[in-house]
Amino acid sequence: MKVLVVNCGSSSLKYQVLEMDSSMLLAKGLVERIGIDGSVITHEKIGMDKFVLQVPMKNHTDAIGHVLDALLDADHGVVKSMDEIGAVGHRVVHAGEKYAGSVLITKDVMDALEECIDLAPLHNPPNIMGIRACQELMPTTPMVGVFDTAFHQTMPPEAYIYAIPYEFYEKYRIRKYGFHGTSHKYVAQKAAEVLGKDIKELKIITCHLGNGASCAAVKNGVCIDTSMGFTPLDGLVMGTRSGAVDPAIITFIKEKEEINADAVVSILNKKSGMLGVSGVSSDFRDVEKAAKEGNERCALAIKIFAGRVKSYIGSYLAQMNGADVIVFTAGVGENDIMMRELICADMDELGIKIDPVKNNVRGEEAVVSTDDSKVQVLLIPTNEELMIAKDTAEIVEKVKNN
Ligand code: ADP
């Protein structure tokens, strides 16, 4: 079966087509500036040069239309007819408490996603628009929703309930949801595969360290805790996000700077993290370069970031009574040799020993701990699209066979 994976933003759309028998990527692309002057689609049939087309696209339906044209194109296409696409998998950020796994999209599912707009006002509306556009243009193709929050739905209440008046949970569903679930699930499953063990017998700590960053504790195959919370602002320090801070800081800044609470939260989302502390960049490469050249705030930002990841690893080691494996993934986790070393430094008493020679690797699956490290440390490149496609194919096959 061929699966089309769609990840819709407000003015952009990423897509991939995968052949599921071989898990092979056939084509991928990006549509930018949807609904804005200068709309453009960049399509790539794997093994061929990219093909760029500037064409007006007033909405997501226009964008999906051009994606389908590109997939059917005689030169750059990967299918002869749309019937060859067996299913579409949609990345959706928030499914609230409703879904603990991926689901076939029905009217009820769409209603549930609409209800979650309150919880993810920036992300769910474009995700929903993408689904509706595909339904319009591919009315007979089954669609599956794969949710960033789903993998974390197994957390017990003691992990997801905040210690605030309980009625806020009852009235407004304020709780920890967690995000990046598709990535945490993918790398946790891969880690079990790499170790040749059943995931149900493992205690895994997954560290998704990119521009956005989160850690998760995965015990016996299910997530028991994660660092992002009610929103993706909580937890680790990120490119431009503060991660967890004392909430009283918000009202303090509000009064001192004479701005409203939304403006403070916007600062915590967009002007904090590595950017805020370093004053140089949100990109770890820039911050590390400047630190090497003697910039002390950049050096401090790096230490704060590494320290926060270490704290979450420590917390999860305590919660799971140890771990079998720690996995690093995403932009920083996969490429930043120095950061992995810094995070894992001085944890030998906890059974974590990184091997500087083995750790000298980027972007490929590798064991980076020493042979005698009790906890294995792995680098596993994430592949959220493949995870979405796998879930999609599995659900559609199941429905067909019923
Ligand atoms: P996201 O998907 O959250 O936008 P990514 O997982 O693609 O982010 O990670 C992007 C980040 O990875 C960049 O901002 C950069 O800081 C970091 N990164 C990429 N390559 C390297 C590298 N070689 N060394 C250090 N950091 C890197």
Side-chain angles (χ1 to χ4, degrees):
M1 182 198 293
K2 290 187 179 68
V3 171
L4 168 64
V5 174
V6 175
N7 182 354
C8 251
S10 57
S11 66
S12 70
L13 182 167
K14 285 189 230 158
Y15 64 93
Q16 288 195 356
V17 176
L18 295 104
E19 175 54 73
M20 296 320 292
D21 299 338
S22 54
S23 294
M24 238 175 65
L25 176 63
L26 303 178
K28 62 179 179 177
L30 171 68
V31 186
E32 292 166 288
R33 302 183 64 84
I34 301 167
I36 311 172
D37 279 352
S39 308
V40 57
I41 172 168
T42 308
H43 173 83
E44 183 184 351
K45 176 176 177 173
I46 301 309
M48 279 180 76
D49 286 342
K50 281 184 186 161
F51 141 98
V52 181
L53 178 69
Q54 280 226 4
V55 57
M57 295 180 227
K58 59 181 185 310
N59 54 36
H60 287 74
T61 307
D62 284 356
I64 295 286
H66 286 288
V67 170
L68 301 187
D69 286 349
L71 296 178
L72 286 163
D73 186 86
D75 295 327
H76 302 275
V78 289
V79 290
K80 293 205 169 56
S81 117
M82 280 327 287
D83 296 343
E84 286 180 47
I85 303 278
V88 184
H90 291 271
R91 180 199 177 205
V92 179
V93 167
H94 220 306
E97 294 187 297
K98 191 102 189 203
Y99 302 111
S102 306
V103 290
L104 192 73
I105 295 175
T106 59
K107 163 108 187 26
D108 284 352
V109 173
M110 292 305 279
D111 290 346
L113 299 184
E114 296 266 359
E115 276 169 31
C116 289
I117 287 179
D118 234 13
L119 298 172
L122 297 180
H123 295 104
N124 269 32
N127 296 161
I128 291 169
M129 272 192 278
I131 298 172
R132 294 211 191 282
C134 286
Q135 285 174 329
E136 197 179 325
L137 299 176
M138 309 168 78
T140 56
T141 310
M143 315 259 159
V144 170
V146 181
F147 314 113
D148 276 18
T149 49
F151 184 60
H152 304 301
Q153 276 296 306
T154 46
M155 284 187 292
E158 60 269 32
Y160 70 71
I161 293 291
Y162 291 116
I164 58 177
Y166 195 78
E167 57 263 32
F168 290 132
Y169 168 60
E170 292 174 314
K171 278 205 288 199
Y172 308 123
R173 297 285 125 190
I174 296 177
R175 51 160 283 178
K176 179 187 282 191
Y177 288 100
F179 300 87
H180 290 145
T182 310
S183 177
H184 288 292
K185 179 176 168 187
Y186 176 80
V187 297
Q189 286 183 353
K190 262 273 167 195
E193 256 175 67
V194 169
L195 301 180
K197 297 231 168 95
D198 185 344
I199 194 168
K200 295 206 173 80
E201 288 163 12
L202 289 173
K203 298 181 215 172
I204 307 172
I205 299 173
T206 49
C207 305
H208 176 111
L209 312 178
N211 225 341
S214 64
C215 289
V218 183
K219 191 176 180 188
N220 307 333
V222 297
C223 175
I224 61 152
D225 201 0
T226 190
S227 60
M228 280 181 170
F230 177 59
T231 73
L233 178 56
D234 199 5
L236 300 179
V237 171
M238 307 179 216
T240 63
R241 283 174 248 169
S242 60
V245 293
D246 181 341
I249 290 173
I250 296 175
T251 46
F252 194 83
I253 296 178
K254 178 174 166 262
E255 274 159 38
K256 291 287 180 197
E257 294 278 311
E258 296 179 13
I259 53 179
N260 64 26
D262 282 349
V264 182
V265 172
S266 171
I267 291 171
L268 297 183
N269 266 308
K270 297 185 180 149
K271 295 192 174 156
S272 301
M274 298 301 282
L275 173 67
V277 177
S278 72
V280 167
S281 171
S282 62
D283 193 303
F284 285 70
R285 288 163 289 198
D286 301 336
V287 176
E288 284 166 19
K289 184 166 172 282
K292 275 197 197 113
E293 289 162 3
N295 184 315
E296 286 180 12
R297 268 172 55 187
C298 287
L300 176 62
I302 292 164
K303 281 190 193 158
I304 296 174
F305 179 88
R308 188 71 67 90
V309 180
K310 211 185 239 296
S311 300
Y312 275 97
I313 290 175
S315 159
Y316 297 158
L317 286 171
Q319 289 192 55
M320 296 196 288
N321 191 13
D324 299 296
V325 50
I326 296 174
V327 187
F328 285 103
T329 195
V332 178
E334 291 168 28
N335 296 299
D336 198 331
I337 295 164
M338 185 273 287
M339 190 59 85
R340 285 195 302 262
E341 200 166 323
L342 204 55
I343 292 166
C344 295
D346 291 327
M347 293 211 276
D348 52 322
E349 291 287 325
L350 297 170
I352 302 163
K353 284 197 224 168
I354 203 157
D355 181 327
V357 177
K358 288 193 197 164
N359 187 41
N360 194 10
V361 59
R362 285 200 170 101
E364 60 186 72
E365 217 170 272
V367 178
V368 300
S369 44
T370 60
D371 292 342
D372 67 342
S373 180
K374 193 162 158 266
V375 181
Q376 302 223 50
V377 183
L378 304 186
L379 187 173
I380 297 180
T382 194
N383 192 339
E384 290 164 272
E385 290 79 10
L386 178 58
M387 190 77 249
I388 293 172
K390 277 187 170 170
D391 269 14
T392 301
E394 198 179 296
I395 286 172
V396 170
E397 292 291 355
K398 235 190 243 162
V399 172
K400 255 199 231 160
N401 296 334
N402 271 341

